[in-house]
């Protein structure tokens, strides 16, 4: 291999970045055709040809509305609701003679409600616009034809501009990397793409050799080139194009592309050419709105609206039918039965000769008159309540994680009540149940196990088996000075150094040099210090070294090597440098540089990673990988410690540790050169099987390895996870763990976090049988698929029989199924059987699951059961599962923010899910359910008084109340108390919600918003209207009302009846509230007081405006004792049925919250009593402030 070719390749020879190369010339051949027509004039955006292309600018807008379309678009959103359409039609018809009230009294409340909702939409959109303005006004340096860089705003960038981006700055557009300040002329830079794909590992980008020499402004002065490439698209990991420069074409790949919203790291600055701007950038092409989610309560509420519409049409039809009959009878035998109506001189709205037509118009009048059955302010009230509920969730200090300074976050207010109805939770494992912060805790080197102490899984296994297991024994094995095994039962504590929780005096503090195989120990940790893609970041002030790792495992390995005496401190494109302990000579620290020749990176198919390095003339291949592929690659002489290592690996896996096998080999110069020639031919190949050729070449060199040992890292459970899952199980919420880990690890983690519990029977479905493996080797796909289906079907049947026998013995069952089995179990012929088995198990673990399988399992349960599902995860691979579930909860962990951005709720730790569901979920569900039921109750109670009055008045179309009285009923006199109910009411306190998790089943079983309860509240409304109307009329109509002996007239009757309605519905609210604050008291009693104030002020206004309300309250109602007594009598009579029902229900058939309320009351009495003892500590543990 000549030095010239070596220099030309630069980093492209590293297998790490092979994924960035195109897989053939076919895509580049399409340049200029449809989909590949974009032309960029580099450093020449003012070129006349470039101007004619009319590319979009770099201004980005993520707002829902613009100034031009806000009004029409927002109105369209509002009138998608059928109730608003109805009120709009009524408002339009109110301008006609058909209306039983003035137009303004109808239009006013509609404008208020619609306007309020539109104002809320505008406010939210203004916040988005503010974020857009902040992004668009960021500064970046752009090159001008004067030969210098000047600062400009992002929004001013144009396609073809050359920009200079500095370290830790975001890229303002999609750029072609020209050169960088990193390591002279290598043209490489490191990029953080966490905002794009959620991955925290840095990506390495490299410019073309032809532009990598651009070091300053003078080099750019004469630079002009033309890029032909693909059109804007949403594919983040692909790019097709070429650069025409100095008469030559250079192919471009994703390795040279820097995407908008990714960040420059570990590089002082880069030069780049703008290719895509604004909404044509790849990140904006991916910015699609997630699937809209609606709660089940809201969907049922729509059905109730339809029921009320049906009732509205029915009573309007009944009224018009009776009106038509009565009208026709007015001219029977040509006699005027109701002569005072002047049937001989009428309009079409009352014409005995055309009674059918009059009845039709009366029907239209009735649709408007009885429209108060439909609550106009319901939707806007619910939106206000939900927004306020999210404020309480966001500010709950019990869900604030101080370590990362992160609170819980409700990213949507649409699903608050859904949190109280969850039936099944689907949870990721790594980073969700565990910390995703790997600790190096054990290792096996040269057949000797190092590291001691108990892991969390081991402690769970000991508790599960009630005796020390073999895994427990190996974990605590320590070899004394005489070579005898001793044991230490000390648990592993918290890491002193992040990533390193290893304790063994035989290895630490340089004592490994005294071990039987110090050369192998040194070689073992050399592999850990060299075989990786970690990037060191040296703090220039303190000299401390921090590591940017592609995975937490790699970081733990590098840290472990440093703690043992091999510190990785510098990485260059072609070398790695270590500070090493030279144990063979004077045991001093020396600097040793390893020339990095090739990196054969880890992939899911290879399951291993290798590096080829050169040090002091020796060529070494260092390799680490999964045990399933590594042992087959060992040489005959390299298997000296195979049996012991396998034994240690099995025991590490049993206690939930992640295991990696470590090996190496020495390479001869001739062998290496021959292999490199073949490998480089594969790299520059443009054939369709290029990847296969690369894998084959790598496979040839990764043979004849010498085994060194194995590592074991622990992914610790997050704090409080076992207690949280136990509490969720007590709430009868089913939890499924969907993980990519292998079966043994997943099961042991399940026991550690108490998802699987002691005494639980395991039902395992797997395809690891010898018969299946034999068919896999034969390669007969059809026979294999048939055998797998039969095997899964048989195992499901056996699982059901095991389940039946377990239920007879009062034993819980846990289902464990692997990803391979899941592929076949999700077949349409087996999915119902699998689901039937799974839902009867207390816990389910799906291991070796792909992201797609996670989403499919979630969809299966959601669609088949029709119950509320919740998915929780922390990584980009969980996004599909989060979006598929009814509720997606993202955990802001170490795998980026992709899951959080796709979620409906975000929490910093899994344990906060307990409070989110059992407290906030229960409260929100109860509040929204009570709020909606009460809304319909008060509107039915009010609306049906109009109907009874109409029947009393022969369906004349005359409303019982003043126009503005009716309009303000939902807006001012009854709206605020119901909002207070939705925000503040608590049936039981937070501590009792947690102490009695079974209370959660009220929501999961939808007891508070069942059809029985909804119809009960409706019946209560009808009953209240009957009591109010008939009691009021019987008390007042035939009695002397005024001092002069006159009876109550129409206006007085309306005011009295309206007063009774306002008092009754507000007092009904007071009876229904469980948790009073001064706010509830203020809203309830001020609503009643406002009615009296309104009557007083409105009655003073000129009768041309106040009409039937003029001076009625002041002159007629107030002086009359009958008015006040009848109000008291009617209100008490109205409240008595519901009060009696609740009293008897609480006494004879109490609901769960009734029982807990009585316990809470008893506890309060005990705590406030000085003579009685306090309740025990175990009862108050959740109630501490």
């Amino acid at each position: 291999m000549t030095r010239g070719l070596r220099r030309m390749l630069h980093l492209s020879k590293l297998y790490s970045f092979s994924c960035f190369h195109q897989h053939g010339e076919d895509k580049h051949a399409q340049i200029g055709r449809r989909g590949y027509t974009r032309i960029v004039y580099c450093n020449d955006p003012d070129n006349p040809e470039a101007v004619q292309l009319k590319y979009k600018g770099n201004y980005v807008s993520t707002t829902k509305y613009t100034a031009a379309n806000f009004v029409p678009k927002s109105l369209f959103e509002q009138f998608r609701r059928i109730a608003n359409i109805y009120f709009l039609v009524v408002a339009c018809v109110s301008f006609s003679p058909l209306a039983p009230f003035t137009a303004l009294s109808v239009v006013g409340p509609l404008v208020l409600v619609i306007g309020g909702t539109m104002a809320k939409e505008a406010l939210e959109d203004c916040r988005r616009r503010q974020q857009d303005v902040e992004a668009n006004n960021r500064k970046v340096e752009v090159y001008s034809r004067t030969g210098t860089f000047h600062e400009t705003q992002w929004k001013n960038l144009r396609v073809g501009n050359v920009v200079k981006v500095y370290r830790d700055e975001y890229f303002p557009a999609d750029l072609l990397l020209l050169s960088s300040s990193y390591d002279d002329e290598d043209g490489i830079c490191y990029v953080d793409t966490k905002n794009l794909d959620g991955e925290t590992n840095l990506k390495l980008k490299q410019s073309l050799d032809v532009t990598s020499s651009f070091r300053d402004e003078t080099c750019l002065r004469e630079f002009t080139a033309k890029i032909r490439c693909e059109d804007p698209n949403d594919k983040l990991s692909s790019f097709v194009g070429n650069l025409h420069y100095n008469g030559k074409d250079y192919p471009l790949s994703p390795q040279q592309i820097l995407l908008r919203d990714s960040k420059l790291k570990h590089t002082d600055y880069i030069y780049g050419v703008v290719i895509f701007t604004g909404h044509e950038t790849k990140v904006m092409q991916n910015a699609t709105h997630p699937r809209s989610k609606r709660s089940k309560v809201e969907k049922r509420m729509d059905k109730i609206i339809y029921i009320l519409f049906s009732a509205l049409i029915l009573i309007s039809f009944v009224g018009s039918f009776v009106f038509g009959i009565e009208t026709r009878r007015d001219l029977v035998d040509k006699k005027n039965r109701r002569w005072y109506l002047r049937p001989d001189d009428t309009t079409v709205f009352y014409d005995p000769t055309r009674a059918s037509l009059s009845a039709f118009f009366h029907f239209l009048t009735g649709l408007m008159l009885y429209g108060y059955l439909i609550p106009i302010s319901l939707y806007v009230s619910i939106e206000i309540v939900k927004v306020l509920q999210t404020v309480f969730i966001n500010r709950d200090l019990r869900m604030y994680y101080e370590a990362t300074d992160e609170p819980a976050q409700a990213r949507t207010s649409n699903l608050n009540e859904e949190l109280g109805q969850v039936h099944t939770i689907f949870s990721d494992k790594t980073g969700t149940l565990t910390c995703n912060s790997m600790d190096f805790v054990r290792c096996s080197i040269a057949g000797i196990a190092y590291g001691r102490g108990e892991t969390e899984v081991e402690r769970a296994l000991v508790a599960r088996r009630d005796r020390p297991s073999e895994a427990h024994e190996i974990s605590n094995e320590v070899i004394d000075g005489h070579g005898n095994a001793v044991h230490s039962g000390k648990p592993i504590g918290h890491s002193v150094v992040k990533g390193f929780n290893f304790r063994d005096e035989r290895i630490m503090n340089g004592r490994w040099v005294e071990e039987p195989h110090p050369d192998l120990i040194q070689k073992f940790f050399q592999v850990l210090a060299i075989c990786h893609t970690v990037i060191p970041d040296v703090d220039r002030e303190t000299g401390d070294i921090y590591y940017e790792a592609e995975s937490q495992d790699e970081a733990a390995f590098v840290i472990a090597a440093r703690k043992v005496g091999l510190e990785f401190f510098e990485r260059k494109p072609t070398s790695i440098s270590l500070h090493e302990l030279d144990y063979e000579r004077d045991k001093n620290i020396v600097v040793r540089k390893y020339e990095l020749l090739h990196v054969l990176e880890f992939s899911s198919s290879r399951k291993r990673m290798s590096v080829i390095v050169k040090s002091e003339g020796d060529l070494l291949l260092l390799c680490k990988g999964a045990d399933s592929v590594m042992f087959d690659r060992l040489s005959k002489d390299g298997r000296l410690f195979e049996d012991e290592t396998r034994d240690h690996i099995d025991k590490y896996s049993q206690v939930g540790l992640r295991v990696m096998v470590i090996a190496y080999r020495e390479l001869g110069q001739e062998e290496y050169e021959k292999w490199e020639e073949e490998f480089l031919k594969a790299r520059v190949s443009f054939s369709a099987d290029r990847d296969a050729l690369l894998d084959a070449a790598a496979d040839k060199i990764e043979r004849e390895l010498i085994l060194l040992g194995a590592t074991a890292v622990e992914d610790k459970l997050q704090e409080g996870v076992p207690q949280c899952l136990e509490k969720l199980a007590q709430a009868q919420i089913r939890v499924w763990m969907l993980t990519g880990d292998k079966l043994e690890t997943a099961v042991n983690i399940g026991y550690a976090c108490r998802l699987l519990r002691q005494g639980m029977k395991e039902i395992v479905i797997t395809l690891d049988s010898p018969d299946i493996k034999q068919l896999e080797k034969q390669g007969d796909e059809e026979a294999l698929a048939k055998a797998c289906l039969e095997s899964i079907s048989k195992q499901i049947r056996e699982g059901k029989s095991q389940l039946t026998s377990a239920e007879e013995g009062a034993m819980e069952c846990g289902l464990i199924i692997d990803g391979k089995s899941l592929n076949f179990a999700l077949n349409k012929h087996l999915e119902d059987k699998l689901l039937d088995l799974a839902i009867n198990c207390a816990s389910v673990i799906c291991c070796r699951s792909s992201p797609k399988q996670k989403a499919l399992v979630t969809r299966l349960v959601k669609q088949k059961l029709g119950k509320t599902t919740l998915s929780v995860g922390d990584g980009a691979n969980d996004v599909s599962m989060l979006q598929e579930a009814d509720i997606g909860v993202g955990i802001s962990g170490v795998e980026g923010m992709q899951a959080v951005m796709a979620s409906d709720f975000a929490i910093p730790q899994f344990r906060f899910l307990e409070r989110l569901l059992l407290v906030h979920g229960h409260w929100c569900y109860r509040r929204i359910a009570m709020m909606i039921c009460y809304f319909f109750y008060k509107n039915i109670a009010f609306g049906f008084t109009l109907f009874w009055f109409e029947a009393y008045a022969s369906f004349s179309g005359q409303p019982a109340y003043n126009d503005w009285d009716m309009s303000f009923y939902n807006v001012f006199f009854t709206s605020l108390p119901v909002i207070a109910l939705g925000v503040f009411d608590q049936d039981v306190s937070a501590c009792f919600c947690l102490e009695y998790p079974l209370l959660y089943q009220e929501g999961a079983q939808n007891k508070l918003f069942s059809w029985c309860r909804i119809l009960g509240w409706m019946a209560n409304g009808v009953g209240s209207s009957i009591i109010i109307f008939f009691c009021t009329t019987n008390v007042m109509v035939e009695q002397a009302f005024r001092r002069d002996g006159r009876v109550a007239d129409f206006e007085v009757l309306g005011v009295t009846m309206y007063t009774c309605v306002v008092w009754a519905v507000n007092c009904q609210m007071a009876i229904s509230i469980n948790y009073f604050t001064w706010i509830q008291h203020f809203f309830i009693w001020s609503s009643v007081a406002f009615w009296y104030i309104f009557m007083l002020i409105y009655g003073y206004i000129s009768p041309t405006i106040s009409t039937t309300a003029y001076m009625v309250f002041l002159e007629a109602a107030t002086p009359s004792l009958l008015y006040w007594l009848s109000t008291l009598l009617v209100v008490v009579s109205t409240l008595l049925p519901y009060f009696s029902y609740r009293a008897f229900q609480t006494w004879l058939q109490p609901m769960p919250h009734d029982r807990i309320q009585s316990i809470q009351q008893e506890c309060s009495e005990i705590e406030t009593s000085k003579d009685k003892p306090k309740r025990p500590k175990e009862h108050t543990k959740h109630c501490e402030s």
Side-chain angles (χ1 to χ4, degrees), residues 266-293:
H266 299 307
T267 310
D268 291 335
Y269 64 85
I270 61 97
Y271 294 134
V273 176
V274 177
I275 299 178
F276 297 120
T277 53
H279 289 274
E280 292 183 339
T281 59
K282 290 183 180 288
V283 66
M284 294 305 298
Q285 292 281 311
N286 277 274
T288 57
H289 293 288
R291 182 177 64 88
S292 178
K293 297 180 179 180

Short mmCIF file of all heavy atoms in Angstrom, two decimals, residues 266-293:
data_model
loop_
_atom_site.label_atom_id
_atom_site.label_comp_id
_atom_site.label_asym_id
_atom_site.label_seq_id
_atom_site.Cartn_x
_atom_site.Cartn_y
_atom_site.Cartn_z
N HIS A 266 -16.13 19.54 19.03
CA HIS A 266 -14.72 19.18 19.01
C HIS A 266 -13.99 19.67 17.77
O HIS A 266 -12.99 19.09 17.36
CB HIS A 266 -14.55 17.66 19.13
CG HIS A 266 -15.10 17.10 20.38
ND1 HIS A 266 -14.77 17.56 21.63
CD2 HIS A 266 -16.02 16.11 20.59
CE1 HIS A 266 -15.44 16.88 22.55
NE2 HIS A 266 -16.21 16.00 21.95
N THR A 267 -14.49 20.70 17.15
CA THR A 267 -13.86 21.29 15.97
C THR A 267 -14.02 22.80 16.10
O THR A 267 -15.14 23.28 16.34
CB THR A 267 -14.52 20.80 14.67
OG1 THR A 267 -14.62 19.38 14.70
CG2 THR A 267 -13.72 21.22 13.46
N ASP A 268 -12.95 23.55 15.91
CA ASP A 268 -13.02 24.99 16.13
C ASP A 268 -13.95 25.68 15.15
O ASP A 268 -14.74 26.55 15.53
CB ASP A 268 -11.62 25.61 16.03
CG ASP A 268 -10.74 25.20 17.21
OD1 ASP A 268 -11.31 24.87 18.28
OD2 ASP A 268 -9.51 25.19 17.07
N TYR A 269 -13.88 25.29 13.87
CA TYR A 269 -14.79 25.88 12.89
C TYR A 269 -14.77 25.04 11.62
O TYR A 269 -13.88 24.20 11.41
CB TYR A 269 -14.40 27.34 12.56
CG TYR A 269 -13.06 27.48 11.89
CD1 TYR A 269 -12.91 27.35 10.50
CD2 TYR A 269 -11.91 27.75 12.64
CE1 TYR A 269 -11.68 27.47 9.90
CE2 TYR A 269 -10.68 27.87 12.04
CZ TYR A 269 -10.56 27.74 10.66
OH TYR A 269 -9.34 27.85 10.06
N ILE A 270 -15.77 25.26 10.78
CA ILE A 270 -15.82 24.60 9.47
C ILE A 270 -16.29 25.63 8.44
O ILE A 270 -16.93 26.63 8.77
CB ILE A 270 -16.78 23.38 9.47
CG1 ILE A 270 -18.23 23.79 9.79
CG2 ILE A 270 -16.31 22.31 10.42
CD1 ILE A 270 -19.13 24.00 8.61
N TYR A 271 -15.97 25.35 7.18
CA TYR A 271 -16.53 26.08 6.05
C TYR A 271 -17.52 25.16 5.35
O TYR A 271 -17.25 23.96 5.16
CB TYR A 271 -15.44 26.50 5.05
CG TYR A 271 -14.45 27.50 5.58
CD1 TYR A 271 -13.08 27.33 5.39
CD2 TYR A 271 -14.88 28.64 6.26
CE1 TYR A 271 -12.16 28.26 5.86
CE2 TYR A 271 -13.96 29.57 6.74
CZ TYR A 271 -12.61 29.36 6.55
OH TYR A 271 -11.71 30.28 7.04
N GLY A 272 -18.66 25.73 4.95
CA GLY A 272 -19.65 24.92 4.27
C GLY A 272 -20.45 25.73 3.26
O GLY A 272 -20.56 26.96 3.38
N VAL A 273 -20.99 25.04 2.27
CA VAL A 273 -21.83 25.67 1.24
C VAL A 273 -23.28 25.31 1.50
O VAL A 273 -23.61 24.14 1.74
CB VAL A 273 -21.43 25.20 -0.17
CG1 VAL A 273 -22.38 25.77 -1.22
CG2 VAL A 273 -20.01 25.61 -0.50
N VAL A 274 -24.15 26.30 1.45
CA VAL A 274 -25.58 26.08 1.69
C VAL A 274 -26.19 25.35 0.49
O VAL A 274 -26.11 25.82 -0.64
CB VAL A 274 -26.31 27.41 1.93
CG1 VAL A 274 -27.81 27.16 2.10
CG2 VAL A 274 -25.74 28.12 3.15
N ILE A 275 -26.81 24.18 0.78
CA ILE A 275 -27.45 23.40 -0.28
C ILE A 275 -28.97 23.51 -0.19
O ILE A 275 -29.66 23.80 -1.16
CB ILE A 275 -27.03 21.92 -0.19
CG1 ILE A 275 -25.52 21.78 -0.36
CG2 ILE A 275 -27.75 21.09 -1.25
CD1 ILE A 275 -25.02 20.35 -0.24
N PHE A 276 -29.51 23.25 0.99
CA PHE A 276 -30.96 23.35 1.21
C PHE A 276 -31.22 24.40 2.29
O PHE A 276 -30.50 24.44 3.31
CB PHE A 276 -31.55 22.02 1.66
CG PHE A 276 -31.42 20.91 0.66
CD1 PHE A 276 -30.72 19.75 0.97
CD2 PHE A 276 -31.99 21.01 -0.59
CE1 PHE A 276 -30.59 18.71 0.07
CE2 PHE A 276 -31.87 19.99 -1.52
CZ PHE A 276 -31.16 18.84 -1.19
N THR A 277 -32.23 25.21 2.11
CA THR A 277 -32.56 26.26 3.06
C THR A 277 -34.00 26.11 3.55
O THR A 277 -34.84 25.49 2.89
CB THR A 277 -32.41 27.65 2.42
OG1 THR A 277 -33.16 27.68 1.20
CG2 THR A 277 -30.96 27.99 2.15
N GLY A 278 -34.25 26.69 4.73
CA GLY A 278 -35.62 26.80 5.24
C GLY A 278 -36.38 25.49 5.29
O GLY A 278 -35.89 24.48 5.80
N HIS A 279 -37.56 25.51 4.71
CA HIS A 279 -38.43 24.33 4.76
C HIS A 279 -37.99 23.23 3.80
O HIS A 279 -38.59 22.15 3.78
CB HIS A 279 -39.87 24.74 4.45
CG HIS A 279 -40.52 25.52 5.55
ND1 HIS A 279 -41.14 24.91 6.62
CD2 HIS A 279 -40.58 26.85 5.78
CE1 HIS A 279 -41.59 25.84 7.44
NE2 HIS A 279 -41.27 27.03 6.96
N GLU A 280 -36.95 23.49 3.02
CA GLU A 280 -36.41 22.45 2.14
C GLU A 280 -35.31 21.65 2.81
O GLU A 280 -34.84 20.67 2.25
CB GLU A 280 -35.89 23.09 0.85
CG GLU A 280 -37.01 23.67 -0.02
CD GLU A 280 -36.49 24.23 -1.33
OE1 GLU A 280 -35.27 24.53 -1.40
OE2 GLU A 280 -37.29 24.36 -2.28
N THR A 281 -34.88 22.06 4.01
CA THR A 281 -33.89 21.28 4.74
C THR A 281 -34.50 19.95 5.18
O THR A 281 -35.71 19.82 5.34
CB THR A 281 -33.38 22.06 5.96
OG1 THR A 281 -34.48 22.36 6.82
CG2 THR A 281 -32.68 23.34 5.55
N LYS A 282 -33.65 18.98 5.43
CA LYS A 282 -34.13 17.64 5.74
C LYS A 282 -34.87 17.60 7.09
O LYS A 282 -35.84 16.86 7.26
CB LYS A 282 -32.97 16.63 5.73
CG LYS A 282 -32.44 16.37 4.32
CD LYS A 282 -31.34 15.32 4.33
CE LYS A 282 -30.82 15.05 2.93
NZ LYS A 282 -31.75 14.30 2.11
N VAL A 283 -34.41 18.40 8.05
CA VAL A 283 -35.08 18.38 9.35
C VAL A 283 -36.48 18.97 9.24
O VAL A 283 -37.43 18.48 9.88
CB VAL A 283 -34.24 19.14 10.40
CG1 VAL A 283 -34.14 20.63 10.09
CG2 VAL A 283 -34.84 18.94 11.79
N MET A 284 -36.66 19.99 8.41
CA MET A 284 -37.99 20.57 8.23
C MET A 284 -38.87 19.68 7.37
O MET A 284 -40.10 19.65 7.54
CB MET A 284 -37.88 21.97 7.62
CG MET A 284 -37.21 22.99 8.52
SD MET A 284 -38.00 23.14 10.15
CE MET A 284 -39.64 23.68 9.70
N GLN A 285 -38.27 18.93 6.47
CA GLN A 285 -39.04 17.97 5.68
C GLN A 285 -39.58 16.85 6.56
O GLN A 285 -40.58 16.23 6.25
CB GLN A 285 -38.16 17.37 4.58
CG GLN A 285 -37.75 18.34 3.49
CD GLN A 285 -38.85 18.58 2.47
OE1 GLN A 285 -39.45 17.65 1.94
NE2 GLN A 285 -39.14 19.84 2.20
N ASN A 286 -38.89 16.61 7.68
CA ASN A 286 -39.35 15.59 8.63
C ASN A 286 -40.31 16.15 9.67
O ASN A 286 -40.84 15.39 10.48
CB ASN A 286 -38.15 14.97 9.36
CG ASN A 286 -37.49 13.88 8.56
OD1 ASN A 286 -37.89 12.73 8.60
ND2 ASN A 286 -36.47 14.25 7.79
N ALA A 287 -40.51 17.45 9.68
CA ALA A 287 -41.32 18.08 10.72
C ALA A 287 -42.80 17.94 10.41
O ALA A 287 -43.49 18.88 10.03
CB ALA A 287 -40.95 19.56 10.84
N THR A 288 -43.32 16.73 10.55
CA THR A 288 -44.74 16.47 10.35
C THR A 288 -45.44 16.44 11.70
O THR A 288 -44.85 16.10 12.72
CB THR A 288 -44.96 15.13 9.63
OG1 THR A 288 -44.34 14.10 10.41
CG2 THR A 288 -44.35 15.17 8.25
N HIS A 289 -46.69 16.81 11.69
CA HIS A 289 -47.45 16.80 12.94
C HIS A 289 -47.78 15.36 13.31
O HIS A 289 -48.17 14.55 12.47
CB HIS A 289 -48.74 17.60 12.79
CG HIS A 289 -48.49 19.07 12.59
ND1 HIS A 289 -48.06 19.88 13.60
CD2 HIS A 289 -48.62 19.85 11.50
CE1 HIS A 289 -47.94 21.12 13.14
NE2 HIS A 289 -48.27 21.13 11.87
N PRO A 290 -47.64 15.01 14.59
CA PRO A 290 -47.97 13.65 15.02
C PRO A 290 -49.46 13.37 14.92
O PRO A 290 -50.28 14.28 14.78
CB PRO A 290 -47.51 13.62 16.48
CG PRO A 290 -47.55 15.04 16.92
CD PRO A 290 -47.20 15.85 15.70
N ARG A 291 -49.80 12.08 14.99
CA ARG A 291 -51.20 11.68 14.92
C ARG A 291 -52.00 12.33 16.04
O ARG A 291 -51.61 12.32 17.20
CB ARG A 291 -51.29 10.15 15.05
CG ARG A 291 -52.69 9.60 14.95
CD ARG A 291 -52.65 8.08 15.01
NE ARG A 291 -52.15 7.60 16.28
CZ ARG A 291 -52.94 7.38 17.33
NH1 ARG A 291 -54.22 7.63 17.28
NH2 ARG A 291 -52.42 6.91 18.45
N SER A 292 -53.13 12.91 15.66
CA SER A 292 -53.98 13.57 16.66
C SER A 292 -54.63 12.52 17.56
O SER A 292 -55.16 11.52 17.08
CB SER A 292 -55.05 14.39 15.95
OG SER A 292 -55.91 15.00 16.89
N LYS A 293 -54.56 12.77 18.85
CA LYS A 293 -55.13 11.84 19.82
C LYS A 293 -56.28 12.50 20.56
O LYS A 293 -56.18 13.66 20.96
CB LYS A 293 -54.06 11.38 20.82
CG LYS A 293 -52.91 10.60 20.21
CD LYS A 293 -51.90 10.18 21.27
CE LYS A 293 -50.76 9.39 20.67
NZ LYS A 293 -49.77 8.98 21.71
#
